[in-house]
Amino acid sequence: MSNLQDSLFAGPEDDVSSTAQNASVIADDSGTDFAIPEPLSSHGPARVIAMCNQKGGVGKTTTSINLAAAFAEYGRKVLLVDFDPQGAASAGLGINSNELDQTIYNVLVDSSVSIEDVIVPSGIERLDIAPANIDLSAAEVQLVNEVAREMALSRALYSVLDRYDVIIIDCQPSLGLLAVNALTAAHGVMIPLEAEFFALRGVALLIETIDKVRDRLNPRLKVDGILATMVDPRTLHAREVLQRLNEAFGDTVYRTQIRRTVKFPDASVATEPILSYEPRHPGAMAYRQLAREVIARGDAA
């Protein structure tokens, strides 16, 4: 981990003009295109992707909603699991989870409730959601004395794996038991990372947690990729962060980048993905491109 930290936090003695010049190529790389995926003749089994970063405000929920919607546009059947007690993914798709009798919380703590009981349509074709609300915050306490408590979500998802092509878990910003449950259930992890240095500080800790889960609970788990979000390529700061990311992680960093725009919060207020709120906006195009890149990498159907 020390080598990773060294590469992420190299000192300011680097030649700034050289760094900016090299990073500008990276910042412009989001224009790279990927082939439109072929239609599927059948659906399932799903690949499970955990959207994870213990730092809040890095675009996890925005990415979960819009990437899920992009997969659905390309003919994939998608389940979005809201695994954050704030219920932001549920609210972002227009679902008032506080009015629901059952949510993902009930699936985790009550063996008589299956995930099929809580899944609801999102209003977007081929996209369903398992909603969450503040009740989920109690799950960590209630699960702590359970046998195989880290496997609760994995057991819950097992019955619907053949119904979907992709399952995206929108994790809460922490590395507690809920996050471990998500990592144990997942095949891969996508790490949204704001293009600023403070956001870099927790990456090494997150990678260490992923390694521990892989070693002890889920040997199939891998880091699918790191997604640069809230990128402003006009600033030297953002370009230097992108430079550090690429030096430290190489091809693990997605070539697609999500640039900063007020249209994302506008779409959230409208309770719909930016792909339907403003389909031709560069933000919508970026998430379509991210979906194509993920599929091209073989990390989704």
Side-chain angles (χ1 to χ4, degrees):
M1 192 168 85
S2 61
N3 291 337
L4 176 57
Q5 289 174 323
D6 290 344
S7 60
L8 286 175
F9 303 114
E13 65 274 11
D14 298 330
D15 180 67
V16 172
S17 61
S18 174
T19 300
Q21 184 177 11
N22 292 336
S24 66
V25 177
I26 298 166
D28 291 338
D29 210 15
S30 59
T32 303
D33 206 356
F34 297 89
I36 294 175
E38 295 291 328
L40 297 175
S41 57
S42 61
H43 298 287
R47 191 168 194 280
V48 183
I49 301 171
M51 197 70 62
C52 191
N53 191 325
Q54 77 272 27
K55 186 180 185 298
V58 298
K60 288 189 302 297
T61 299
T62 297
T63 296
S64 296
I65 291 172
N66 288 289
L67 180 59
F71 280 138
E73 271 194 12
Y74 290 127
R76 275 58 185 167
K77 289 190 69 174
V78 186
L79 174 63
L80 176 57
V81 178
D82 190 346
F83 218 51
D84 185 342
Q86 297 179 70
S90 304
L93 289 173
I95 296 166
N96 187 348
S97 54
N98 293 320
E99 294 181 350
L100 298 176
D101 293 329
Q102 294 179 324
T103 64
I104 193 67
Y105 162 77
N106 302 92
V107 178
L108 295 179
V109 302
D110 185 348
S111 59
S112 69
V113 180
S114 71
I115 196 163
E116 290 98 329
D117 296 329
V118 305
I119 290 173
V120 295
S122 68
I124 297 166
E125 188 177 3
R126 292 181 293 273
L127 174 56
D128 295 335
I129 182 168
N133 59 26
I134 193 62
D135 291 346
L136 186 59
S137 61
E140 294 207 31
V141 176
Q142 293 182 252
L143 288 173
V144 73
N145 293 318
E146 295 290 327
V147 175
R149 58 187 177 271
E150 301 91 352
M151 305 290 291
L153 181 60
S154 183
R155 291 194 301 269
L157 293 178
Y158 182 78
S159 63
V160 296
L161 288 176
D162 289 337
R163 288 174 46 184
Y164 296 98
D165 302 307
V166 185
I167 296 176
I168 296 176
I169 307 170
D170 182 32
C171 300
Q172 70 177 138
S174 80
L175 292 179
L177 183 55
L178 290 180
V180 172
N181 258 267
L183 295 174
T184 303
H187 298 96
V189 185
M190 182 179 294
I191 305 174
L193 190 70
E194 184 181 1
E196 60 100 24
F197 274 110
F198 285 122
L200 286 174
R201 298 187 64 86
V203 174
L205 178 60
L206 177 56
I207 296 295
E208 186 178 73
T209 300
I210 292 169
D211 288 342
K212 286 179 180 178
V213 172
R214 181 190 302 116
D215 291 342
R216 302 173 187 180
L217 295 166
N218 183 8
R220 70 187 175 183
L221 183 65
K222 73 183 189 77
V223 176
D224 285 347
I226 297 172
L227 175 68
T229 62
M230 305 181 189
V231 176
D232 184 349
R234 299 169 300 178
T235 68
L236 176 61
H237 180 81
R239 296 196 299 267
E240 288 183 328
V241 170
L242 295 171
Q243 178 83 358
R244 296 282 188 266
L245 268 180
N246 280 272
E247 288 171 353
F249 295 103
D251 290 341
T252 304
V253 181
Y254 289 108
R255 294 168 73 176
T256 304
Q257 296 168 9
I258 309 301
R259 298 192 177 184
R260 190 182 296 274
T261 171
V262 297
K263 289 298 180 182
F264 288 129
D266 288 349
S268 297
V269 171
T271 65
E272 59 181 306
I274 195 172
L275 282 80
S276 57
Y277 178 73
E278 194 156 333
R280 306 309 300 173
H281 188 273
M285 304 300 286
Y287 276 113
R288 291 188 184 97
Q289 178 173 286
L290 177 62
R292 296 196 300 271
E293 182 174 4
V294 172
I295 292 170
R297 285 186 177 205
D299 293 334

